[in-house]
Amino acid sequence: RKLAFDIIDLMSNKRVPHYAEGHKIRFIARDLPPLGYKKYQIVPTEKTRKTTNSDLILTDNSIENRYFQVVFDQNIGLVSEIIDKSTGRNIIGKSDKYGFARGYVKRGTQNEEFSAVAQSAPQLILVDERPVRLIMRLRYDNELYESTDYILWSDVRRLDLHQTIDLQKLPNTDEIEEYGLAFPFELKKALAEMEALGGFLCPETDRLPGIDHNAFSIRRTVALSNKSASLIWASVDRRVLRLEYDNKRPVIISNVVNNFPPQWNRHQKNSGKLILRYSLMQTETGFDAGATGKFGWEILTNPMVQQGWFSKNEPGRSYFQIDNDNVNILNLRKTDRQHKWQMELQNCNPAQPENVTIHSAFFSGKTIRQIDLLGNTKKIIPVHDDKIRLLIPENTLFLIEIE
């Protein structure tokens, strides 16, 4: 007999829609307290309740949530439309050369162009995990680009894309091969903002003159923006990309794998599979460093989950609250020195310094110092009512020590 149960958010005491298959349970944990926790309870019930108000819609060739609709075109064997439902516009660019989430290869060490990797017609598989998510899978049997998953979550303004690469299908080669996954976007007059270690850099204005290639290494995200919109692209597993323009529209080509000749010292036996994860979001404003940076951290930072017997007391708690969206807490760690902790902050705004207030009971009775990379004290930071106030320069990492 299949066990029936509800999942209860103990902070709101409301039932959370879920999907169960075998021993796996999927649900969306919304509004997690920053640098904190929230408790959920599994409560047995007499029968499984059906959720009827999901925004997820499934057809023979499309999946849809409140924010996006993804449409597969059988004639070209690719997704041809990703509709931003707030504007009704297709975010896939009208490219004469590149198909969306299609594989391409560049051969040799000269400035050759990318050419399409031969692919057969895919098998379209639609996975229904409502009320939590829908998956559109394009499967290519016995090919290097084995499958592409488009994933939409209920009431989440985000599209996830997972690409599976079968490394055993890489051919033998006598010259270096660079394989990529193309993302052509419909955004004219768009400037790119690449996330670097300290914040964001614009290639057109911040790159050193004389560089004659279009390759970049990013931390997490790229924002493609004009005055009216910004498309945020995030990569979990691949940081190297190329930025091209086709019909004056931007094309991100994510490097998925390099294939080296046997005589090269970088040649290695190719086996196993890679699952590469990407995410997209679009906003109806120009470039926003805070929103872009936080989207990247959200994609790359999975919540920690601990299962066990807990009390219902204190169902959720936040240990640090921060009042500025352009400032991120990158890490908090214990140092080698006794009773000392170090916090790393980032102002991801490339244009101006940011004031920020951080509130935490952890600051009570502590001495807070701004330090440099070597741990030397730069100044003492006063604590008032468990709060500290900081001014962080633009595109800067800021270190504090807590004792």
Side-chain angles (χ1 to χ4, degrees):
R1 180 172 175 262
K2 188 175 180 180
L3 177 66
F5 59 89
D6 284 339
I7 295 178
I8 305 299
D9 178 342
L10 293 179
M11 286 190 73
S12 65
N13 207 32
K14 292 182 179 179
R15 185 170 66 93
V16 178
H18 69 273
Y19 175 83
E21 182 177 13
H23 297 287
K24 292 184 178 180
I25 304 171
R26 298 189 189 278
F27 66 94
I28 299 174
R30 304 185 191 274
D31 300 322
L32 293 180
L35 278 172
Y37 67 86
K38 179 191 278 194
K39 294 180 183 178
Y40 293 84
Q41 184 179 18
I42 298 176
V43 180
T45 59
E46 290 295 323
K47 60 181 181 179
T48 301
R49 306 190 204 187
K50 291 186 177 181
T51 301
T52 58
N53 60 348
S54 171
D55 62 329
L56 298 172
I57 301 173
L58 179 66
T59 71
D60 291 341
N61 72 329
S62 70
I63 58 174
E64 183 177 347
N65 71 358
R66 177 182 170 188
Y67 300 101
F68 295 106
Q69 181 187 30
V70 181
V71 181
F72 173 73
D73 187 338
Q74 186 70 49
N75 295 322
I76 62 173
L78 294 170
V79 165
S80 60
E81 292 182 295
I82 300 176
I83 304 299
D84 182 341
K85 294 172 67 174
S86 65
T87 64
R89 292 195 294 266
N90 185 6
I91 70 172
I92 295 179
K94 297 176 182 178
S95 173
D96 296 329
K97 182 177 178 182
Y98 296 107
F100 193 86
R102 198 194 191 293
Y104 292 85
V105 61
K106 180 196 290 277
R107 294 183 171 90
T109 57
Q110 304 303 315
N111 291 324
E112 274 77 3
E113 294 186 350
F114 279 98
S115 58
V117 175
Q119 286 182 307
S120 60
Q123 177 188 5
L124 176 64
I125 303 170
L126 299 171
V127 181
D128 188 352
E129 295 183 353
R130 285 179 287 189
V132 177
R133 67 178 186 175
L134 291 171
I135 303 173
M136 175 185 289
R137 177 169 298 142
L138 309 185
R139 183 170 180 82
Y140 305 86
D141 289 326
N142 298 314
E143 296 190 12
L144 174 64
Y145 292 80
E146 182 180 273
S147 67
T148 308
D149 286 3
Y150 294 84
I151 306 169
L152 289 177
W153 302 85
S154 176
D155 201 24
V156 175
R157 192 184 181 93
R158 184 177 108 195
L159 168 64
D160 292 342
L161 188 149
H162 293 176
Q163 177 69 50
T164 301
I165 303 293
D166 187 351
L167 293 175
Q168 297 181 82
K169 299 300 186 295
L170 279 171
N172 291 324
T173 180
D174 57 3
E175 59 182 348
I176 185 173
E177 295 180 323
E178 176 186 342
Y179 287 86
L181 195 68
F183 296 87
F185 292 113
E186 186 62 27
L187 201 64
K188 292 183 178 180
K189 297 181 180 180
L191 289 178
E193 296 281 351
M194 307 281 184
E195 188 179 10
L197 182 62
F200 289 89
L201 300 174
C202 177
E204 290 197 10
T205 58
D206 299 324
R207 207 173 199 200
L208 293 173
I211 296 177
D212 63 351
H213 62 77
N214 59 358
F216 300 88
S217 177
I218 64 168
R219 300 299 292 177
R220 285 161 289 272
T221 57
V222 177
L224 301 171
S225 309
N226 56 27
K227 293 182 179 180
S228 60
S230 182
L231 193 143
I232 306 172
W233 179 92
S235 173
V236 178
D237 310 284
R238 284 297 179 265
R239 303 292 176 85
V240 176
L241 59 89
R242 293 185 183 272
L243 178 64
E244 297 190 1
Y245 287 86
D246 188 33
N247 293 331
K248 298 182 179 180
R249 295 170 174 88
V251 182
I252 293 174
I253 304 174
S254 173
N255 176 270
V256 297
V257 67
N258 294 324
N259 191 24
F260 295 96
Q263 65 271 22
W264 284 46
N265 61 4
R266 295 187 65 183
H267 175 79
Q268 58 185 355
K269 182 179 179 181
N270 292 308
S271 62
K273 297 181 181 181
L274 301 175
I275 299 178
L276 310 179
R277 296 161 292 171
Y278 305 92
S279 291
L280 308 173
M281 183 180 75
Q282 181 159 297
T283 65
E284 297 310 306
T285 61
F287 173 62
D288 184 326
T292 305
K294 288 187 183 299
F295 182 72
W297 277 108
E298 177 184 313
I299 299 305
L300 269 76
T301 308
N302 291 322
M304 298 176 63
V305 179
Q306 184 175 359
Q307 302 176 21
W309 301 101
F310 298 104
S311 74
K312 294 183 180 180
N313 296 331
E314 204 167 9
R317 185 176 179 185
S318 173
Y319 292 95
F320 290 88
Q321 288 122 35
I322 191 165
D323 70 350
N324 189 323
D325 287 340
N326 283 327
V327 176
N328 296 319
I329 298 177
L330 300 188
N331 64 56
L332 175 68
R333 64 183 182 86
K334 198 173 188 309
T335 70
D336 295 334
R337 304 170 186 175
Q338 191 174 16
H339 307 305
K340 290 186 178 181
W341 293 73
Q342 189 178 104
M343 178 182 287
E344 185 175 2
L345 300 153
Q346 175 198 42
N347 173 13
C348 58
N349 187 345
Q352 64 184 35
E354 294 284 352
N355 285 294
V356 61
T357 299
I358 305 175
H359 181 204
S360 175
F362 188 59
F363 292 152
S364 179
K366 305 291 195 303
T367 300
I368 314 292
R369 304 178 182 90
Q370 180 189 354
I371 60 174
D372 61 21
L373 291 174
L374 298 178
N376 300 314
T377 299
K378 298 180 73 173
K379 68 176 183 180
I380 301 296
I381 299 170
V383 180
H384 300 292
D385 299 324
D386 296 342
K387 297 176 184 177
I388 60 173
R389 181 79 172 167
L390 307 173
L391 176 64
I392 304 179
E394 58 271 25
N395 261 7
T396 296
L397 298 179
F398 192 95
L399 298 177
I400 64 173
E401 184 179 73
I402 306 164
E403 182 180 13

